[in-house]
Amino acid sequence: MTTTNSQAFSAYAASSRLTASPRDVLASVHEELYRAIGSAKFAHEQGRLDQMCRHAMRATQILTVLSTSLDFSAAGPDGKTLRSFYQYVLDSMVRASRRKDVSNSYQIVLDLLRPFCKELRSEK
């Protein structure tokens, strides 16, 4: 256990020297969100509902954090639109579980997120 703790503290110390921009952090979060939804869709198509639920829950958690913890006022007038976007995607994830064609519902969300993820990763 001491070795594990030592390794964890070393990793944490190393991470404090990393310099990630807020845009890079958001891009990583959105990529994780995209992966979680894609994995939920794939699991549904494979009939693995327990895995689908786990991935969908992960996506819902990420969306909840994004929609409740970002400082949308910092985005100026576009902040309200961004908050609405996250809420719409979150609502879409919740509605997907109630629809007959779950995979199609997840695909719609993925299609919404794809250009957003791409934009966050583009060089400015």
Side-chain angles (χ1 to χ4, degrees), residues 39-96:
S39 295
K41 179 181 182 284
F42 181 76
H44 178 267
E45 291 166 351
Q46 299 298 310
R48 297 178 177 155
L49 299 183
D50 58 329
Q51 290 179 11
M52 179 199 76
C53 290
R54 191 176 68 248
H55 294 299
M57 185 184 317
R58 175 77 176 133
T60 301
Q61 289 169 335
I62 293 169
L63 284 163
T64 300
V65 169
L66 286 170
S67 65
T68 60
S69 66
L70 292 177
D71 180 9
F72 293 101
S73 64
D78 294 329
K80 186 175 181 180
T81 302
L82 186 57
R83 181 188 300 260
S84 295
F85 172 77
Y86 286 130
Q87 191 60 52
Y88 178 80
V89 174
L90 179 58
D91 291 345
S92 295
M93 286 297 298
V94 172
R95 282 191 311 269

Side-chain angles (χ1 to χ4, degrees), residues 4-18:
T4 303
N5 285 346
S6 176
Q7 291 170 339
F9 288 129
S10 294
Y12 180 76
S15 72
S16 68
R17 294 187 294 271
L18 297 176

Side-chain angles (χ1 to χ4, degrees), residues 92-112:
S92 295
M93 286 297 298
V94 172
R95 282 191 311 269
S97 66
R98 298 182 195 135
R99 294 202 170 153
K100 192 171 188 173
D101 189 2
V102 175
S103 291
N104 188 51
S105 297
Y106 286 153
Q107 187 60 54
I108 290 168
V109 174
L110 290 170
D111 292 342
L112 282 172

